[in-house]
């Protein structure tokens, strides 16, 4: 399993405007964007005892969480993802899902998952059975992504975070509301090294690494 370095910073709107100009000068916009951004919708899973939520709040170093995600309202490309964290390192595994498969999961029909031919789908099945993982909340937000090939760097600006409250009808457009006074989040991910040109571009006076979680922010509401 390959882990990457990850930084998060809570920033202001003025910070974002400044970073946007700097990043446009040194990095490339992600090729999958529409007008430089895209909309992200995720459905997070957790146990009845909120294992993923509590591990995040308690700062557990080695943790994982499952989510289903699609972009720009396009349900023809839905992904099951497992995010693993080990200190300041992160790893993401992914597998495709169809609309009927997502609907089946939401309805509690798991009969197809063991024979899906996708190890990550089977792992989710096992954890639904053994840990009682269940859909918990929808998280929507806008993302502006930038990439820099050297060091396999990805920088994102995430904002307009919205919550589905306790609703989990993931395929239903709309339905979310603003997740309180959520900040703008700068995320920086890289492989073996972070190039100095990127390190300099993202420097902001008085901003420190944050442990902000969109899932945690949205769980405030249920």
């Amino acid at each position: 399993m390959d882990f990457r370095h990850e930084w998060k910073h809570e920033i202001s709107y003025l910070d974002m405007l400044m970073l946007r100009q700097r990043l446009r000068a040194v990095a490339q916009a992600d090729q999958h964007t529409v007008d430089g951004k895209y909309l992200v919708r995720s459905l997070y899973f957790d146990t009845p005892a909120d294992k993923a939520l509590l591990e995040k709040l308690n700062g557990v170093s080695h943790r994982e969480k499952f989510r289903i995600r699609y972009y720009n309202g396009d349900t023809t490309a839905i992904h099951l993802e497992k995010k693993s964290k080990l200190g300041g390192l992160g790893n993401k595994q992914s597998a495709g899902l169809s609309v009927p498969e997502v609907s089946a999961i939401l309805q509690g029909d798991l009969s197809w998952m063991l024979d899906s031919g996708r190890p990550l789908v089977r792992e989710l099945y096992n954890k639904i059975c053994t840990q009682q993982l269940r859909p918990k909340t929808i998280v929507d937000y806008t993302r502006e992504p930038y990439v820099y090939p050297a060091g396999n760097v990805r920088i994102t600006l995430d904002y307009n975070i919205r919550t589905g409250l306790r609703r989990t009808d993931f395929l239903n457009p709309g339905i979310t509301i603003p997740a309180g006074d959520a900040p703008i989040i700068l995320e920086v991910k890289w492989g073996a090294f972070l190039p100095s040109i990127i390190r300099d571009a993202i420097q902001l006076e008085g901003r420190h690494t944050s442990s902000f979680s969109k899932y945690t922010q949205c769980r405030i509401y249920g």
Side-chain angles (χ1 to χ4, degrees), residues 191-210:
F193 67 98
L194 181 62
S196 58
I197 190 171
I198 297 297
R199 189 182 297 270
D200 292 343
I202 62 174
Q203 288 299 313
L204 294 169
E205 186 175 352
R207 304 297 180 192
H208 304 286
T209 302
S210 166

Side-chain angles (χ1 to χ4, degrees), residues 60-204:
V60 174
S61 175
H62 193 185
R63 59 186 188 272
E64 67 181 29
K65 60 189 173 188
F66 284 84
R67 68 191 180 204
I68 301 174
R69 172 172 286 190
Y70 62 91
Y71 301 91
N72 290 329
D74 180 9
T75 56
T76 64
I78 305 175
H79 304 277
L80 168 64
E81 298 180 346
K82 175 187 173 184
K83 284 277 291 184
S84 301
K85 291 284 289 185
L86 181 60
L89 302 174
N91 170 269
K92 183 173 72 173
Q93 298 169 264
S94 180
L97 290 175
S98 68
V99 168
E101 288 171 341
V102 172
S103 296
I105 292 173
L106 295 178
Q107 294 165 14
D109 175 8
L110 314 179
S111 58
W112 58 276
M113 297 179 75
L114 276 179
D115 297 324
S116 69
R118 285 156 283 172
L120 192 60
V121 173
R122 290 199 299 269
E123 183 177 352
L124 177 61
Y125 170 83
N126 288 330
K127 292 189 174 170
I128 288 174
C129 294
T130 59
Q131 299 182 11
Q132 295 184 294
L133 276 185
R134 296 292 185 271
K136 280 287 186 175
T137 194
I138 296 168
V139 177
D140 288 344
Y141 59 93
T142 301
R143 166 164 283 181
E144 291 185 27
Y146 300 85
V147 295
Y148 192 82
N152 190 21
V153 180
R154 184 174 178 83
I155 310 108
T156 57
L157 301 169
D158 297 339
Y159 51 92
N160 291 341
I161 301 170
R162 301 172 64 85
T163 175
L165 299 174
R166 299 189 180 194
R167 297 184 64 169
T168 58
D169 43 343
F170 178 63
L171 300 172
N172 186 356
I175 77 173
T176 56
I177 65 169
D181 190 21
I184 299 167
I185 303 298
L186 164 68
E187 291 191 14
V188 187
K189 300 177 183 178
W190 71 96
F193 67 98
L194 181 62
S196 58
I197 190 171
I198 297 297
R199 189 182 297 270
D200 292 343
I202 62 174
Q203 288 299 313
L204 294 169

Side-chain angles (χ1 to χ4, degrees), residues 33-54:
T33 63
V34 178
D35 295 327
K37 59 189 177 184
Y38 50 71
L39 304 179
V40 183
R41 167 161 284 199
S42 302
L43 175 66
Y44 284 85
F45 290 74
D46 211 336
T47 69
D50 291 328
K51 180 177 182 286
L53 176 64
L54 292 175

